[in-house]
Amino acid sequence: MVVVNVPFEFSTASRILFGAGTIAQIGTQARSMGCHALLVTGRNAARAEPVRALLEASGVGVVLFRGAGEPTIGMVEECVGRARAEHCDLVIGFGGGSALDTAKAVAVLLTNDGAPLNYLEVIGGGQPIARPGAPCIAVPTTSGSGAEVTKNAVLASPVHKVKASLRGPFLLPRLAIVDPELTYGVPPPVTATTGLDALTQLIEPYVCTRANPLTDGFCLTGMRLVARSLHRAWKNGRDIAAREGMALASLFGGLALANAGLGAVHGFAAPIGAAFSAPHGAVCAALLPAVMEVNVRALRARQPHADALARYQVVAEILTDRKGATPEEGAVWIRELCVALGVAGLSAHGLTASDVPVLVDKAAKASSMKANPISLTVPELEEILRRGHP
């Protein structure tokens, strides 16, 4: 299903290196951009020691910053202060989406005056980021977020109990290094939730109101990769072909969402992730089947000739590997996959029925919700949360 009459633009990281062993190039690549790097990692900073060694062997000084979970405004401010105090001229993110978003935010805030809140969407001033950031290299170690090629960085505000984005072309990294070998040690539960996040970020851009011919290609190929790779990678973390498939699918999802849009899954993910200790991928995994079910039913009732319905059928045919599969069968396939991978519902993260009204109100205002293939009613949004709750 190709859209031919929608104007679009496309932007991504200045350069992408993909393939097993490409991390070996990080030292020489970094040295061409700066001489003193801030290396932002996830909780397990020890995993970055080989990267530190490669950088130092190339003459790049390293200041390590270990992130504690998903980035908050305060964490980013602390990291910017550290980078300035140490005179860092280069920022490297090494880890999952949280580490990459932290690095991207720090890179632009090093060269743009003011607090993060000045630039944040929804809860902040929404000021445009006017100047290019410090050079940034993004190295994902999970297959899910696609943050290595997206032009936003999601930050949590504990005060507002919501997540919001810094957004703009200057958030795009100078270089993305996607080495599937870095994902071999990811445990099965993380493989499951990050992989379902990747699938969400392939389905939502494909059915959203801003889909375009270029992102369609990434989405279609990426969905096929997930359908044949995710369960295998979950079952055997050292299945080389499966890990390569998921790394490529994640990259394609990032390219697609950055240049098309998302939908209701991510509209909910921002307020839920900020209010509860729920990883982003786990929230997406819990909500994706319910959002598909409700979207399809709403489209059949109110927009039966919508292009999005035909696109949902394409999604179903790819996932089930069966010509003529219905959109509803595609949602069932994903729900059954979630069960097979042991994905928990939202109640496992503390969400209760009393939280539904506030979350629905916040989700309705989220930027991702604007590209959902159909405008959903409050009862429909409430139903999504109830279905994702068990």
Side-chain angles (χ1 to χ4, degrees):
M1 188 64 59
V2 178
V3 176
V4 295
N5 61 347
V6 177
F8 68 92
E9 63 177 273
F10 188 89
S11 56
T12 190
S14 299
R15 189 178 179 201
I16 300 169
L17 295 177
F18 181 93
T22 49
I23 190 61
Q25 300 181 46
I26 193 169
T28 54
Q29 294 296 330
R31 189 67 187 86
S32 70
M33 300 180 197
C35 59
H36 202 190
L38 179 76
L39 177 58
V40 180
T41 75
R43 286 190 177 94
N44 186 5
R47 291 194 64 201
E49 284 305 313
V51 172
R52 182 205 284 264
L54 288 167
L55 292 167
E56 291 178 341
S58 295
V60 178
V62 178
V63 175
L64 190 67
F65 184 92
R66 183 177 68 87
E70 296 187 352
T72 63
I73 294 173
M75 182 194 301
V76 167
E77 289 176 325
E78 178 188 353
C79 196
V80 171
R82 177 85 180 277
R84 285 180 173 149
E86 299 283 354
H87 305 290
C88 295
D89 56 4
L90 167 68
V91 183
I92 301 171
F94 179 89
S98 295
L100 304 192
D101 276 1
T102 302
K104 288 155 59 179
V106 170
V108 296
L109 290 169
L110 280 174
T111 59
N112 289 269
D113 297 332
L117 199 59
N118 294 349
Y119 303 98
L120 280 170
E121 298 175 339
V122 183
I123 60 172
Q127 295 178 17
I129 297 169
R131 291 189 291 274
C136 180
I137 299 175
V139 186
T141 61
T142 61
S143 297
S145 73
E148 66 273 15
V149 289
T150 59
K151 51 190 173 185
N152 72 306
V154 181
L155 309 184
S157 171
V159 173
H160 298 88
K161 293 187 177 180
V162 74
K163 291 181 180 179
S165 285
L166 298 174
R167 193 180 304 274
F170 293 135
L171 268 295
L172 287 165
R174 182 82 62 87
L175 171 67
I177 300 178
V178 185
D179 186 338
E181 291 184 349
L182 298 175
T183 68
Y184 287 177
V186 177
V190 179
T191 296
T193 55
T194 56
L196 285 160
D197 184 21
L199 180 59
T200 304
Q201 293 174 173
L202 292 160
I203 293 174
E204 289 202 306
Y206 184 66
V207 301
C208 81
T209 59
R210 297 197 293 268
N212 68 68
L214 194 54
T215 58
D216 282 354
F218 291 122
C219 294
L220 293 169
T221 302
M223 284 187 278
R224 292 186 182 97
L225 288 167
V226 174
R228 70 177 186 231
S229 302
L230 177 52
H231 194 274
R232 286 171 50 189
W234 174 82
K235 188 175 181 180
N236 176 12
R238 300 194 74 82
D239 183 325
I240 296 172
R243 287 299 194 188
E244 287 183 345
M246 287 308 301
L248 192 57
S250 177
L251 173 65
F252 284 179
L255 292 168
L257 76 88
N259 292 282
L262 290 165
V265 174
H266 281 81
F268 274 117
I272 292 172
F276 301 91
S277 58
H280 175 76
V283 175
C284 291
L287 290 175
L288 178 58
V291 167
M292 289 181 65
E293 291 161 355
V294 172
N295 272 346
V296 168
R297 191 186 66 213
L299 286 163
R300 289 199 188 281
R302 301 197 291 276
Q303 297 179 23
H305 303 295
D307 177 62
L309 267 178
R311 286 172 172 265
Y312 269 124
Q313 179 164 349
V314 172
V315 171
E317 290 176 341
I318 289 173
L319 297 181
T320 64
D321 195 25
R322 184 168 59 82
K323 189 69 175 175
T326 66
E328 290 84 356
E329 289 172 326
V332 169
W333 186 93
I334 295 173
R335 191 173 291 282
E336 291 176 347
L337 177 64
C338 289
V339 172
L341 300 183
V343 175
L346 296 176
S347 59
H349 304 289
L351 189 144
T352 67
S354 63
D355 299 308
V356 169
V358 173
L359 292 173
V360 165
D361 180 65
K362 289 184 176 181
K365 300 171 185 174
S367 59
S368 292
M369 195 68 77
K370 297 174 184 176
N372 198 59
I374 187 169
S375 179
L376 297 175
T377 65
V378 169
E380 286 168 338
L381 293 172
E382 291 174 342
E383 180 184 351
I384 288 169
L385 284 185
R386 288 196 301 271
R387 290 192 181 197
H389 181 262

